[in-house]
Amino acid sequence: GHTTGPSLNNDKLYKFAYSAEVYVDRVKASLQKSAGYRISSAVDVNLLWRNPDNDDDQLIKVTIRDVQVENVNERPAAKNIFKGKSTEKIIGKEYLEALQRPMVLELVRGKVKNFYSYQNEPVFTQNIKRGLASLFQLQLHSGAAQEVDISGKCNTTYHVRQDQVTKIKALDSCEIEKQGFTSHNQILDASTKATSATIYVLEDSFIKSIKAEENYVLLLNFRRKTGSKIVSKQRLELKSVQAGPGLIAEKQAANVVKNLDSSYVAVSLVAEPVKSKCKKCPSLSEHWKSIREHMYPEKLSKAEAARSFLSFIQNIRKATKEEILQIIKSENKELLPQIVDAVTSAQTPASLEAILDFLDFKDASTSILQERFLYACGFASHPSEMLLKSLTDKFKGDIANEEIRETLVIVMGALIRKLCDREGCKLPAVMEAKRLILSRLEKAKKDDNVRMYLLALKNALLPEAIPVLLKYAESEEGPISTVAVTALQRYDPSFLTKEVKETMNRIYHQNRKVHEKTVRTAAAAVILNSNPSYMEVKNILLSIGELPLEMTKYMVSMIQDILQFEMPSSKIVRQVLKDMRAPNYERFSKTGSSSAYSGYITRGPDVSSTYSLDILYSGSGILRRSNLNIHIFDRNSELHAIQVVIEAQGLESIIAATPDEGEENLDSFAGMSAILFDVQLRPVTFFEGYSDLMSKMFSATGDLMNVVKGLILLTDHSQEIQLQSGPRASTEFLGGLAIDISGGMEFSLWYRESKTTIKNRVAMFTAGNTEVDSFFVKTGMETTLEVETTLDFISTVQFSQYPFLVCMQMDRAESPFRRYVTKYESLPSGRRYTARRGKAELLAGNEYPLHQENSNMCKKVFGTKSDSSSNWF
């Protein structure tokens, strides 16, 4: 009785019944309706050899017999895919023979020291044997241990009570070759929880029964209701003990094994990765033909476009460079941009080579495809160092179109940040790209070049770029200075040092030079969003009365928004206001039309989203800047989903008004800049210079200018899971967005009004697939979510009187929302069982109230004029 592991009796044959079950279902569902299957068999175990010098070193032979495969839940005959098929027919003769060939385990103190099997055995059957062999590993005293079994090298804890042993395996600690990838932003990703417990009951120092259960729960972070679970159960029960073969007398275990069968080899107990080959899968070009019609530009605001985009990416990921090029080279102009989106989003070495082969940056006529390629790189879910290196090489070469050159460097900035976020800051390609941007910025002479490198830094968010941004923020003119300050706004407050705060205060209070209102208000926002001190807040509040009218109104509105929306700095602002007391309130009651406002779009159990909208006018009623932001956040992270900024300057001459002080010499300009999913895009210009403005004003059709259009891969999560019973499971979550954002500005001199419009049309499709793959049967569950929506933002200004009237409208159209769950079981022959459930609903549209003052103004604006819309120009 001095053994520390289970001990078998000599000359006995232990006969067990074994079963391994797999279930796949929704997280909260009971297992009675799950998809899945059961493999059951008899298992014979006998002792071959015991070490004469150490009782606790034993060789045991384990043989699987009488294998059966069946449904895990009762299915009527018509829905039973195994009906009328023998096990040999289901599994295949060669596999079944391999499965029933005996294996030999060397147990030392209860742990599997060696697992002997056959070298050339199919990996699938070998893994099923490993799953059974791993069950025989246990220790008979409580405590923690690191063990190697089918799941890899894992931390395990044992609890022993008399004849019962419980083994808990910490699956997240298992060291095993991992395959797959995750999305760049946590909100868009999926998370996994995994548990494993095995209960042993012993009798007469050997195993009477084993029950093992392993659970995986996979959830979509932004909607945790959308998820799946895999449950894997194993059972081994002793049925009888009979007289068996005698022991073999030998000194060495290895000799025993060799004499038993010379083809035995010691194999690792850790599972080998394997995937079954797809027998009837369509080729890439066949698949493309089946989805092609959904990919035309006019269909891009439909969920079907996003669905087709995702399935196309999945197929591109399996394709060769040649297959991909064949499609790209044979397609027409209308469909190519969408193909470029998909090929670039696939992010495999083959897809990157194909697209780089196809695109010629020296050819200006294909610049629309070059831009789609670059933006898809910027949105890449798990970019590689190779991708950044390829872009850097292109940037050093000839580029025909100047806008593409700008976009390229701006996207390089986004990739630097994504690679740095994944501990890749020291990679050679990242170091080179950083050096290139910083050194070229230093040498840049033209404003356009300076702006483009600053925008790249606005994406890269490098700590070492902060001093450079400060220099440009304070010493340059409006547009350049604005980019530098808004870049600083994007840093985490922890990076904003004393120098940053001092510079922002100097800009806001104009201590060294006069700055434009747009720059001063942005600097104030940096100060107020990064743990401001008591004095900083007090100085800003004291300054408010001395500002030009509209800026006063804007700053008052910003302070009120901080208080109403309980932003982090609201505590200190309250404190300062309390100490300043009443006499100062008259400085806060200034009239004007500028405003800043934040509110919730959705508040949910998993994620919430907020919008903020701020608008700054010049004293004569002409828009200087409108800024719309949407943020999505959960408990641990946030995502800047959208920002659309429309900026204008020097437009007073159109309505013969006087420019504000310090702004007399500004060129006429209007343009738009956007951030999408944390990536700053290349700004677009509506018009630049007085003559351009005039020609556009008189030819204005009211058509909106496209800012971004395309297909974006947002959620991209792929994971392989080794189940302890032998099969491989895989889970994939893909989320795609078909998006169309456009914007514009129109003037009506007749009605003395201007109108700024931003239209966001979006269709989203998310698909989750969790599958368990045993070579002879697959079972799994597919979940899909789809939604189509439009978010419009319109601001109308009437400047026939002062204070001029401003009406802001933010509307969301009613949105169809559909979700489906499909469970399936299928055989390689194509025989398949599926059960599908779905739900479709219409989410009501919504007019966001913004604030009371705005609602009152809208009544006036729309009450004062009859049908003006038909008389624009």
Side-chain angles (χ1 to χ4, degrees), residues 306-463:
R307 175 205 291 265
S308 305
F309 170 63
L310 296 181
S311 66
F312 194 29
I313 288 173
Q314 284 174 306
N315 279 290
I316 295 170
R317 283 181 170 163
K318 300 180 197 136
T320 63
K321 174 182 166 183
E322 291 67 35
E323 291 173 302
I324 298 168
L325 274 170
Q326 188 194 339
I327 291 181
I328 299 179
K329 287 181 170 166
S330 64
E331 259 316 341
N332 68 30
K333 264 206 176 100
E334 267 194 297
L335 290 163
L336 268 175
Q338 289 73 259
I339 295 177
V340 170
D341 286 341
V343 172
T344 314
S345 301
Q347 301 169 73
T348 61
S351 67
L352 177 61
E353 280 177 37
I355 196 78
L356 287 173
D357 252 27
F358 170 69
L359 290 175
D360 176 8
F361 284 82
K362 297 188 187 74
D363 175 6
S365 69
T366 58
S367 60
I368 182 157
L369 298 179
Q370 295 163 34
E371 182 171 77
R372 289 286 274 264
F373 160 70
L374 290 171
Y375 280 151
C377 291
F379 296 128
S381 49
H382 47 99
S384 62
E385 185 190 7
M386 191 60 217
L387 177 60
L388 178 57
K389 188 179 179 328
S390 309
L391 294 192
T392 309
D393 293 344
K394 290 284 176 213
F395 187 68
K396 290 175 177 167
D398 291 338
I399 297 170
N401 180 319
E402 192 48 43
E403 290 182 348
I404 292 299
R405 212 172 93 83
E406 277 185 50
T407 308
L408 177 51
V409 78
I410 291 171
V411 165
M412 281 165 62
L415 292 179
I416 290 173
R417 164 138 151 261
K418 286 186 174 181
L419 288 162
C420 281
D421 282 352
R422 300 220 160 164
E423 330 284 79
C425 248
K426 295 275 183 284
L427 294 169
V430 179
M431 302 288 282
E432 189 194 357
K434 287 200 280 197
R435 264 200 312 273
L436 183 81
I437 292 171
L438 288 165
S439 66
R440 294 269 179 107
L441 173 58
E442 216 170 311
K443 296 194 194 90
K445 296 280 181 285
K446 293 202 333 241
D447 273 4
D448 283 355
N449 283 341
V450 171
R451 185 185 75 157
M452 126 182 143
Y453 293 117
L454 288 176
L455 287 164
L457 291 176
K458 186 173 176 179
N459 271 334
L461 297 182
L462 302 167

Side-chain angles (χ1 to χ4, degrees), residues 534 538 541-542 573-588:
Y534 184 91
K538 186 170 180 178
L541 290 174
L542 285 171
V573 172
R574 274 206 177 87
Q575 184 60 49
V576 176
L577 281 170
K578 212 169 87 189
D579 296 352
M580 285 170 70
R581 285 194 298 281
N584 294 294
Y585 271 122
E586 86 285 350
R587 74 171 70 227
F588 288 164

Side-chain angles (χ1 to χ4, degrees), residues 87-101:
T87 305
E88 186 174 300
K89 188 103 173 95
I90 296 168
I91 294 184
K93 188 166 190 252
E94 164 201 0
Y95 280 138
L96 188 59
E97 280 171 6
L99 195 55
Q100 300 189 352
R101 257 179 262 158

Side-chain angles (χ1 to χ4, degrees), residues 666-842:
L666 295 179
D667 285 336
S668 301
F669 166 82
M672 180 159 163
S673 162
I675 289 176
L676 200 55
F677 301 109
D678 274 333
V679 179
Q680 164 74 50
L681 309 181
R682 184 180 57 77
V684 291
T685 301
F686 296 150
F687 48 79
E688 195 160 12
Y690 188 71
S691 56
D692 186 26
L693 162 67
M694 281 318 193
S695 70
K696 289 209 170 113
M697 259 188 66
F698 290 110
S699 63
T701 52
D703 283 353
L704 299 183
M705 188 161 167
N706 188 265
V707 184
V708 63
K709 186 185 193 114
L711 295 153
I712 301 176
L713 178 63
L714 285 182
T715 296
D716 191 14
H717 180 99
S718 163
Q719 189 181 352
E720 297 274 327
I721 295 170
Q722 177 59 52
L723 298 180
Q724 60 193 25
S725 55
R728 293 282 282 187
S730 64
T731 180
E732 249 188 340
F733 283 101
L734 284 176
L737 197 65
I739 192 163
D740 187 345
I741 299 179
S742 45
M745 244 182 126
E746 325 171 55
F747 288 93
S748 161
L749 296 184
W750 187 257
Y751 284 99
R752 295 183 76 76
E753 72 176 21
S754 75
K755 189 170 172 184
T756 312
T757 308
I758 299 165
K759 205 172 185 60
N760 300 297
R761 294 223 310 264
V762 181
M764 186 168 170
F765 190 88
T766 306
N769 187 18
T770 299
E771 181 171 86
V772 179
D773 179 7
S774 291
F775 55 106
F776 54 87
V777 57
K778 281 183 178 178
T779 182
M781 183 179 92
E782 215 173 41
T783 316
T784 61
L785 295 177
E786 52 187 271
V787 64
E788 293 163 14
T789 191
T790 305
L791 190 67
D792 286 343
F793 164 66
I794 300 165
S795 64
T796 310
V797 184
Q798 289 189 349
F799 34 76
S800 45
Q801 63 198 67
Y802 190 84
F804 35 85
L805 299 174
V806 180
C807 166
M808 294 181 292
Q809 296 155 286
M810 189 162 122
D811 298 339
R812 192 186 71 218
E814 63 174 9
S815 322
F817 176 70
R818 296 179 281 271
R819 55 178 196 271
Y820 297 101
V821 174
T822 309
K823 294 183 248 187
Y824 60 88
E825 295 158 0
S826 71
L827 297 178
S829 65
R831 197 190 265 198
R832 193 175 165 92
Y833 156 75
T834 52
R836 184 168 191 238
R837 294 178 53 183
K839 185 175 178 185
E841 50 193 314
L842 206 55

